[in-house]
Amino acid sequence: MVLNLLAETPSTPGVPEIVGMLFPNLPNFIAHALATIVIVIILSKLVYKPFRKTINNRRAKINELLDDAVEKQLIANKDVKKAEALLNQAKSESLLIVKNARVDAEVQKMQILQNAAMEASNIQNHAKSSIEREKIKAQEDIKQTIIEVAFDAASKILESEIDKSKNQKIIDSFIQNLDKD
């Protein structure tokens, strides 16, 4: 149908002018261009500039927050390094304390062992001297007892008549008395 319209001549009545429709009407074109310019100006004043201002404010706020985060991260890194240094120092001090405690414990152990050895030696010496005194006393008691027994025997012998059989009986009796005591 479009081909038929083109094939016909423009001077024919009732046929639309296709060529005239292809080009816009100059007053309509100017009105549309002016309306577009006015809309662009109004939109730039009412929408674009406040939107741009809001975007810039947000960008500034984001940059401020990022700077603050970077600063806080740097402070945190410094604090972590300080904490690690303090932890390492505390570890070395604790190792030193444990080492000193072990040395002190070893010294105290040696002192206790020396004191125990000295006390054991003193007790042993005291026991030896006590045993020696008891031995000497026992020997003196035995000597004294022997002397007493000898005096008793001599007095019994002297009291009785000197007779060989009586002497033998007295000696046997004396020996039996010794075994009983």
Side-chain angles (χ1 to χ4, degrees), residues 53-67:
K53 186 178 179 182
T54 303
I55 293 295
N56 287 338
N57 287 343
R58 291 230 177 174
R59 188 172 287 146
K61 182 71 172 174
I62 288 171
N63 286 338
E64 181 182 324
L65 290 174
L66 286 175
D67 291 341

Side-chain angles (χ1 to χ4, degrees), residues 61-124:
K61 182 71 172 174
I62 288 171
N63 286 338
E64 181 182 324
L65 290 174
L66 286 175
D67 291 341
D68 189 40
V70 166
E71 184 179 324
K72 287 182 179 178
Q73 184 67 37
L74 290 174
I75 291 171
N77 287 342
K78 287 179 185 177
D79 288 345
V80 165
K81 288 180 182 178
K82 285 180 185 177
E84 286 176 354
L86 287 174
L87 180 63
N88 288 336
Q89 182 181 1
K91 283 182 181 178
S92 64
E93 286 177 3
S94 67
L95 290 175
L96 182 64
I97 289 170
V98 168
K99 184 179 177 182
N100 288 341
R102 285 185 179 151
V103 169
D104 289 345
E106 191 65 32
V107 167
Q108 287 179 354
K109 174 185 167 186
M110 294 305 289
Q111 287 177 346
I112 290 170
L113 289 175
Q114 286 175 350
N115 289 343
M118 285 175 45
E119 193 162 323
S121 176
N122 289 341
I123 291 172
Q124 190 177 21

Side-chain angles (χ1 to χ4, degrees), residues 94-159:
S94 67
L95 290 175
L96 182 64
I97 289 170
V98 168
K99 184 179 177 182
N100 288 341
R102 285 185 179 151
V103 169
D104 289 345
E106 191 65 32
V107 167
Q108 287 179 354
K109 174 185 167 186
M110 294 305 289
Q111 287 177 346
I112 290 170
L113 289 175
Q114 286 175 350
N115 289 343
M118 285 175 45
E119 193 162 323
S121 176
N122 289 341
I123 291 172
Q124 190 177 21
N125 290 338
H126 180 70
K128 283 181 182 178
S129 65
S130 177
I131 290 171
E132 192 64 32
R133 282 192 306 263
E134 289 294 323
K135 183 179 172 184
I136 291 171
K137 184 178 176 188
Q139 286 175 347
E140 288 177 5
D141 286 346
I142 290 172
K143 285 180 186 177
Q144 189 64 32
T145 305
I146 290 174
I147 290 171
E148 288 175 4
V149 169
F151 279 128
D152 284 345
S155 67
K156 283 184 183 181
I157 290 174
L158 289 176
E159 285 178 4

